[in-house]
Amino acid sequence: LNQKCLSKSFKSGLLFIDINDSRKIMEIFGHRLFQKMLREAAERLTSVSIQAQGSIYNLDSDDFVIVIDEHDNISEVLEIAGEINKKFLDPFMLGDGPFEVSCRIGIVSCPEYQRRTPITPSDMIRYGEITLRLAKSNDDLFILDKQSYLAVIKELDMEMDLQNSIRDKELILLYQPIYSFGSDRIIAVESLLSWKSKKHGTV
């Protein structure tokens, strides 16, 4: 894709797919049946990929990605996501009977390729991890856009800085008085932790 974008502008879509509750499936059925489930999941995803004229890759155990080289609009990629969900409606035969397995899908469209700009593999994987994380709290489907990406990056950045705030002695304990209008006096105090961050200001 990076080579291709140097010579032409195009829309590309990647569907990152993660099997839900894979750890629980492993604990219930053991390694052998877990591997059987993964093989069957890969077969179902491969059939969708072939139908969509895409390429499928296994990233790590239960993580897959389907790459769609070119598409006209995002609705085409959403249709592929719909086909993936249809494939997972049929239960998997594990152990003595059927077992329902679901997946979450994170869609990454690549505006960089429309600008004829390559993307590093590490950035692409990071986009996939972020969109799968967002899919978990959005009915197992999320399309990553610039706004949601920047919001997640800001949240992660603040989280990391907050962890360092204790070491850097940026936390200050404050006491806010609670005043009773009826008795005209302070009856209690509320303890507050204020973060005086050099980067984020007072939080």
Side-chain angles (χ1 to χ4, degrees), residues 77-109:
V77 184
L78 281 170
E79 284 178 18
I80 297 166
E83 289 300 318
I84 291 170
N85 284 324
K86 283 180 189 175
K87 289 289 182 184
F88 276 78
L89 287 176
D90 292 332
F92 288 61
M93 293 304 296
L94 299 175
D96 297 327
F99 189 85
E100 290 187 6
V101 177
S102 64
C103 66
R104 62 180 183 268
I105 304 167
I107 296 173
V108 177
S109 60

Side-chain angles (χ1 to χ4, degrees), residues 1-6 10 12 14 67-69 110 113 124:
L1 291 173
N2 280 343
Q3 287 295 319
K4 184 177 173 180
C5 81
L6 297 177
F10 62 95
S12 180
L14 293 96
V67 179
I68 307 300
D69 269 20
C110 305
Y113 291 148
M124 185 62 75

Side-chain angles (χ1 to χ4, degrees), residues 2 7 11 22 25-26 47 50 60 74 79 90 95 108 111 115-116 147 150-151 180-181 184 188 194:
N2 280 343
S7 58
K11 291 182 181 178
S22 57
I25 296 170
M26 168 85 87
S47 68
I50 290 169
D60 177 30
I74 199 68
E79 284 178 18
D90 292 332
V108 177
R115 300 192 298 266
R116 297 175 64 173
Q147 188 176 355
L150 291 175
S180 169
F181 184 77
D184 189 27
S194 181

Side-chain angles (χ1 to χ4, degrees), residues 122-134:
S122 61
D123 277 348
M124 185 62 75
I125 297 298
R126 185 158 50 90
Y127 294 160
E129 288 173 349
I130 287 171
T131 192
L132 280 172
R133 172 179 166 172
L134 293 168

Side-chain angles (χ1 to χ4, degrees), residues 31-46 64 92:
H31 182 74
R32 186 179 63 81
L33 289 177
F34 177 73
Q35 290 296 321
K36 180 178 181 288
M37 182 276 295
L38 283 182
R39 283 194 299 272
E40 188 172 335
E43 288 169 6
R44 296 185 189 195
L45 292 171
T46 299
F64 300 86
F92 288 61

Side-chain angles (χ1 to χ4, degrees), residues 1-192:
L1 291 173
N2 280 343
Q3 287 295 319
K4 184 177 173 180
C5 81
L6 297 177
S7 58
K8 64 177 289 191
S9 171
F10 62 95
K11 291 182 181 178
S12 180
L14 293 96
L15 296 98
F16 287 86
I17 302 128
D18 186 41
I19 306 297
N20 286 328
D21 301 321
S22 57
R23 186 185 294 270
K24 187 168 76 174
I25 296 170
M26 168 85 87
E27 290 170 354
I28 293 171
F29 295 104
H31 182 74
R32 186 179 63 81
L33 289 177
F34 177 73
Q35 290 296 321
K36 180 178 181 288
M37 182 276 295
L38 283 182
R39 283 194 299 272
E40 188 172 335
E43 288 169 6
R44 296 185 189 195
L45 292 171
T46 299
S47 68
V48 174
S49 179
I50 290 169
Q51 186 181 348
Q53 298 182 321
S55 308
I56 182 167
Y57 304 91
N58 178 229
L59 297 177
D60 177 30
S61 183
D62 63 336
D63 293 325
F64 300 86
V65 61
I66 293 176
V67 179
I68 307 300
D69 269 20
E70 290 192 45
H71 62 82
D72 293 326
N73 54 64
I74 199 68
S75 63
E76 294 178 18
V77 184
L78 281 170
E79 284 178 18
I80 297 166
E83 289 300 318
I84 291 170
N85 284 324
K86 283 180 189 175
K87 289 289 182 184
F88 276 78
L89 287 176
D90 292 332
F92 288 61
M93 293 304 296
L94 299 175
D96 297 327
F99 189 85
E100 290 187 6
V101 177
S102 64
C103 66
R104 62 180 183 268
I105 304 167
I107 296 173
V108 177
S109 60
C110 305
E112 291 93 339
Y113 291 148
Q114 290 178 261
R115 300 192 298 266
R116 297 175 64 173
T117 306
I119 309 171
T120 66
S122 61
D123 277 348
M124 185 62 75
I125 297 298
R126 185 158 50 90
Y127 294 160
E129 288 173 349
I130 287 171
T131 192
L132 280 172
R133 172 179 166 172
L134 293 168
K136 196 170 187 178
S137 54
N138 286 276
D139 297 324
D140 287 341
L141 179 67
F142 195 84
I143 303 171
L144 189 69
D145 56 24
K146 187 176 181 180
Q147 188 176 355
S148 57
Y149 171 74
L150 291 175
V152 170
I153 292 299
K154 183 181 178 183
E155 183 183 317
L156 292 173
D157 186 43
M158 286 191 76
E159 191 177 310
M160 198 175 296
D161 290 338
L162 184 56
Q163 288 175 359
N164 295 330
S165 66
I166 298 174
R167 181 199 65 196
D168 298 337
K169 298 181 179 177
E170 294 179 340
L171 298 177
I172 301 167
L173 188 63
L174 303 172
Y175 293 101
Q176 179 170 294
I178 297 173
Y179 172 75
S180 169
F181 184 77
S183 59
D184 189 27
R185 66 189 182 94
I186 293 170
I187 56 171
V189 290
E190 181 182 9
S191 59
L192 303 168

